[in-house]
Amino acid sequence: MVEAVPSGDVTTEGRIPDGAFPLSAAQQGMWFAQQLGPDVPVTIAQCVELVGALDLPLLSESMITAGRELGSAFLRLVEVDGVPYQLVDPTLEASVRFVDLQHEPDPRAAATEWMRQEYTAPLDVCRDRLTTSALLCIGPDRHYWYSRVHHVALDGMGSVTLVDRTAELYTAAVEGRTAGPSKAAALTDVARVDDDYRTSSRYRADREYWSERVSTIGEPHSLVDRTAPARARSRTTGGQIPDVLVDHLEAATDRHDSSTAFEIIAAFAAYLSRMTGREEVAVSLPVTARTTALLRRSGGMVSNVVPLRLHVRPDMTNTDLVSAVRLEVTAALRHQRYPHIDIRRDAATDDQGFYGPLINVMLFHNEITLGSIVGRLELLSTGPITDLAVNVYHGVAGTSLNLDLEANPDLYSEDTLAAHHARFSRFLGAFLTSDTDGPRRIGDLEILDDGERRSLVPATGRAGFAPVTLPDLLAGAVRSNPDGDALVAPGYGTCAVALSYRALDEMSNRLARLLIDLQVGPEVSVALALPRSVESVSSVWAVAKSGAAFVPVDPSYPADRIAFMLEDCGAPIGVTTAALRDGLPEGTHWIVLDDDEFRATAAAYPADAVTDADRTQALSVDHPAYVIYTSGSTGRPKGVAVTHRGVVNLAADERDRLGVSVGSRVLHFASPSFDASV
């Protein structure tokens, strides 16, 4: 490997230099990623700490020889009319940097910072050397052997192959023997393998597989609700996994006849599902894509990242999920060569990111032998992180196991990332042991510690805010602006119908009293099968005042879904209109608002305020205010009961954050069954 020095001409017009050849699909992905974020180097970096008498010139010579054999250390890029090409240029200067840090106050810390500064520095892929190496002296006979390479030139497995070959050459020279010949293929042969694949039936089969797998994944799955560009420096937390947890991991792999990778992927998928409330989650799996002997012993950029789509039902056991992960990973590995950028392109999305957090299980052999010196390869960076990565790797001398979370610092604060690491570590232990004393459901595993639970349960809302019931909240609105417009709706022709707060209050009070006479009250559900209208809003007010929980049912939903919602919530009473009545199930007693007989009956009720003295029982802030159903995209819809305490906390928060005042207007555009309509 070589010092970072300018590589000469980088652009030409119309003429491809002799010996240049196109980038592979994997390389093109790295090229485009670098063009999109020129200040964030797409590099990988690693180091080996070496303790002992080291022949520095021999190690330098061995590195250069290994770099020439694999070709990647002498790769440079050129642009021809805006199109990138690659070229192995043996004339590039070959030198290894030596940095003496042993006189620094803290040589080890100085070396760590030196390496971090080097692999996070911006890199011009057409002008700067794509690879570099350095020997950092931190004390007598103590060095860091550092290497950094741009991902367009070499991937992780190729980097390890390069280090191993360097060690092989060095050790053979120290022992006075000739090392075996290099088995690495020329980079042109590696590129030819990629070309052959892209014109093969295997490529077409892989494209069909991934097109089906990602068709319904949707937006990237994450532990945060926002995105941000990757940064040169990631935020990392973690460390060695406790021995007892390693024992649980080994026991689980034996029970399930699985692997560390399967167990970690399954546990994190369960964690992601529990934290996000999604029964279908996606994570991203880095793969070598080196499926032939030629690729495994060569340099070049071949690696890939593929999505794993997993269904995590609360009633599953860890055995169920590990088995599902095994099937998903095995299938993905059979199709691992299909490039990530092609997967995203086929999905017709402009987003070049991943489908979910990266799970990088790196349990390769990391012991490096240089003559009589034995060191351990340590990965410093696998490239920029757009969201989150879970890294599992061997610790010192392979005798321990480490678990790190590496994250985009613009998405995860130091405290948030540390909390996720601690929480996932606890969850991992619970997951691995959940079938030791009889199977336990994933949905029953603890996700919070005692402190987190105390901060959330019981819900207290905002500090200094006294919770009230929804009817009290509505009454306050009436008192503050009785003659102001509460509702404005389309009327006949171009006219609009306006209803004041006073009129809305009185209309809903009459309906509430009628409902109470039908034994509607707290802990009872009332279905509202109404389109967006004055009547739909007044009915919500009426049900709230009766003390019951309203259940919004979009009348445009399929009949079987409406039937399921009504049966599931057990609403004995429903409110609708004559035009919709015949299409609704018979198991519910329906009040038809525009029926003449109903109108006469409702008009006879008093319009004054409804109180607990009128209700079937006293109304509490912890009674359900409404029941909303999920979309059912991952199975049957699920009803979620929201208490009065939650409703008024939400109202107070939105009033403050959105600056809602008496002059504000809200468009009732969402489906009544969509929670945004509330």
Side-chain angles (χ1 to χ4, degrees):
M1 288 191 271
V2 292
E3 175 68 87
V5 295
S7 57
D9 294 337
V10 297
T11 60
T12 61
E13 294 184 4
R15 184 180 64 81
I16 301 174
D18 293 341
F21 52 102
L23 273 60
S24 68
Q27 288 176 300
Q28 288 174 12
M30 295 303 167
W31 165 269
F32 287 124
Q34 190 62 86
Q35 304 310 304
L36 291 172
D39 295 330
V40 181
V42 186
T43 58
I44 53 178
Q46 57 201 19
C47 73
V48 183
E49 184 174 0
L50 303 171
V51 180
L54 191 64
D55 187 333
L56 299 181
L58 178 59
L59 180 56
S60 176
E61 179 185 342
S62 300
M63 282 190 276
I64 293 169
T65 301
R68 291 190 188 281
E69 290 176 350
L70 267 69
S72 295
F74 288 83
L75 192 74
R76 67 184 178 95
L77 302 185
V78 295
E79 280 189 65
V80 180
D81 296 332
V83 178
Y85 290 83
Q86 57 188 323
L87 175 69
V88 178
D89 188 351
T91 67
L92 295 176
E93 180 185 350
S95 61
V96 177
R97 200 180 326 189
F98 180 81
V99 182
D100 189 354
L101 300 171
Q102 59 184 322
H103 301 298
E104 294 288 331
D106 186 341
R108 189 179 297 274
T112 299
E113 182 57 26
W114 187 96
M115 291 185 286
R116 184 181 294 113
Q117 291 282 358
E118 205 287 329
Y119 68 73
T120 59
L123 191 67
D124 186 329
V125 292
C126 283
R127 295 187 179 276
D128 298 325
R129 289 300 303 269
L130 299 175
T131 61
T132 190
S133 280
L135 290 167
L136 311 180
C137 181
I138 59 174
D141 291 336
R142 187 178 291 270
H143 298 81
Y144 278 118
W145 170 19
Y146 167 79
S147 58
R148 183 268 301 153
V149 60
H150 196 282
H151 233 318
V152 77
L154 202 61
D155 58 24
M157 187 172 181
S159 295
V160 172
T161 300
L162 185 54
V163 169
D164 284 343
R165 179 58 176 170
T166 299
E168 182 183 358
L169 293 169
Y170 179 94
T171 300
V174 167
E175 295 175 352
R177 57 182 175 83
T178 301
S182 172
K183 297 180 180 180
L187 292 184
T188 50
D189 291 335
V190 174
R192 191 172 299 114
V193 170
D194 181 70
D195 289 340
D196 292 344
Y197 166 69
R198 294 184 70 83
T199 58
S200 68
S201 60
R202 176 76 264 174
Y203 177 85
R204 293 189 292 274
D206 291 347
R207 179 175 59 191
E208 183 177 347
Y209 172 83
W210 288 117
S211 294
E212 188 278 328
R213 292 304 294 162
V214 305
S215 60
T216 59
I217 288 182
E219 294 299 314
H221 298 195
S222 175
L223 291 169
V224 295
D225 59 359
R226 61 193 186 282
T227 62
R231 293 271 294 274
R233 290 195 183 191
S234 301
R235 175 169 281 129
T236 303
T237 189
Q240 183 174 327
I241 297 176
D243 291 342
V244 65
L245 192 53
V246 174
D247 292 341
H248 292 327
L249 180 58
E250 292 175 350
T253 59
D254 289 341
R255 286 196 309 276
H256 302 149
D257 189 24
S258 64
S259 67
T260 296
F262 292 158
E263 298 289 339
I264 295 294
I265 293 170
F268 189 78
Y271 179 79
L272 183 61
S273 173
R274 292 289 303 278
M275 291 297 295
T276 61
R278 304 177 72 150
E279 288 192 12
E280 182 179 283
V281 297
V283 296
S284 297
L285 181 69
V287 293
T288 67
R290 294 178 181 264
T291 56
T292 67
L294 180 146
L295 291 175
R296 285 191 289 272
R297 63 175 181 254
S298 303
M301 166 56 196
V302 182
S303 67
N304 195 19
V305 177
V306 296
L308 301 178
R309 175 182 168 187
L310 299 165
H311 293 275
V312 187
R313 300 189 314 275
D315 61 344
M316 294 177 77
T317 65
N318 66 353
T319 304
D320 298 332
L321 187 53
V322 170
S323 178
V325 165
R326 186 205 314 270
L327 292 175
E328 182 75 5
V329 172
T330 301
L333 292 179
R334 286 198 294 267
H335 304 278
Q336 64 177 295
R337 292 185 63 186
Y338 195 72
H340 169 76
I341 59 172
D342 288 1
I343 294 175
R344 300 297 292 190
R345 179 206 62 210
D346 295 344
T349 175
D350 294 331
D351 182 8
Q352 296 301 309
F354 301 126
Y355 282 100
L358 289 161
I359 302 184
N360 210 357
V361 182
M362 302 170 285
L363 301 182
F364 51 79
H365 175 74
N366 65 346
E367 192 174 87
I368 306 299
T369 301
L370 295 170
S372 61
I373 302 174
V374 178
R376 181 179 62 86
L377 182 68
E378 178 183 354
L379 291 176
L380 301 174
S381 173
T382 58
I385 303 296
T386 56
D387 178 58
L388 181 72
V390 181
N391 299 323
V392 179
Y393 56 97
H394 285 305
V396 177
T399 60
S400 62
L401 199 62
N402 287 12
L403 170 66
D404 290 349
L405 295 186
E406 188 177 4
N408 185 332
D410 288 336
L411 298 179
Y412 297 84
S413 69
E414 186 174 341
D415 290 344
T416 299
L417 192 63
H420 276 301
H421 185 273
R423 191 180 302 114
F424 175 60
S425 297
R426 291 193 308 271
F427 184 82
L428 176 61
F431 180 87
L432 294 172
T433 59
S434 61
D435 62 347
T436 55
D437 296 320
R440 293 176 59 200
R441 305 187 324 157
I442 290 174
D444 294 334
L445 300 181
E446 295 291 346
I447 197 76
L448 304 176
D449 64 17
D450 292 341
E452 290 173 325
R453 188 174 293 102
R454 283 193 299 270
S455 69
L456 296 173
V457 180
T460 57
R462 302 185 310 165
F465 179 76
V468 296
T469 64
L470 181 52
D472 289 339
L473 186 72
L474 301 177
V478 176
R479 286 193 302 270
S480 66
N481 189 22
D483 297 317
D485 288 342
L487 294 173
V488 178
Y492 295 104
T494 59
C495 299
V497 175
L499 198 67
S500 70
Y501 278 94
R502 190 193 313 277
L504 178 60
D505 185 46
E506 293 174 350
M507 177 191 298
S508 57
N509 284 341
R510 291 189 173 95
L511 178 55
R513 291 181 180 280
L514 185 151
L515 292 172
I516 292 171
D517 277 354
L518 293 173
Q519 296 304 300
V520 166
E523 302 292 347
V524 176
S525 296
V526 175
L528 303 181
L530 297 163
R532 298 185 297 273
S533 60
V534 168
E535 289 75 19
S536 68
V537 178
S538 64
S539 296
V540 166
W541 279 47
V543 175
K545 291 176 178 183
S546 75
F550 65 89
V551 185
V553 177
D554 190 330
S556 67
Y557 276 178
D560 57 347
R561 181 168 177 179
I562 292 176
F564 168 77
M565 293 168 65
L566 293 173
E567 180 181 358
D568 186 65
C569 74
I573 302 292
V575 180
T576 188
T577 63
L580 300 171
R581 172 62 188 90
D582 290 343
L584 296 171
E586 293 297 332
T588 299
H589 174 70
W590 293 100
I591 295 173
V592 180
L593 294 179
D594 51 356
D595 177 79
D596 289 339
E597 183 178 350
F598 164 78
R599 286 174 172 168
T601 302
Y605 279 93
D608 53 319
V610 177
T611 67
D612 276 345
D614 304 302
R615 298 182 182 114
T616 59
Q617 62 174 295
L619 180 61
S620 162
V621 292
D622 292 316
H623 278 131
Y626 68 95
V627 177
I628 199 81
Y629 277 79
T630 62
S631 64
S633 59
T634 59
R636 295 198 307 178
K638 295 175 179 61
V640 179
V642 181
T643 67
H644 290 263
R645 187 190 301 270
V647 173
V648 295
N649 279 334
L650 173 64
D653 184 65
E654 291 198 341
R655 182 173 60 237
D656 292 346
R657 288 199 301 158
L658 303 179
V660 176
S661 69
V662 69
S664 299
R665 295 293 180 266
V666 177
L667 179 63
H668 189 3
F669 73 96
S671 161
S673 289
F674 180 43
D675 59 358
S677 69
V678 177

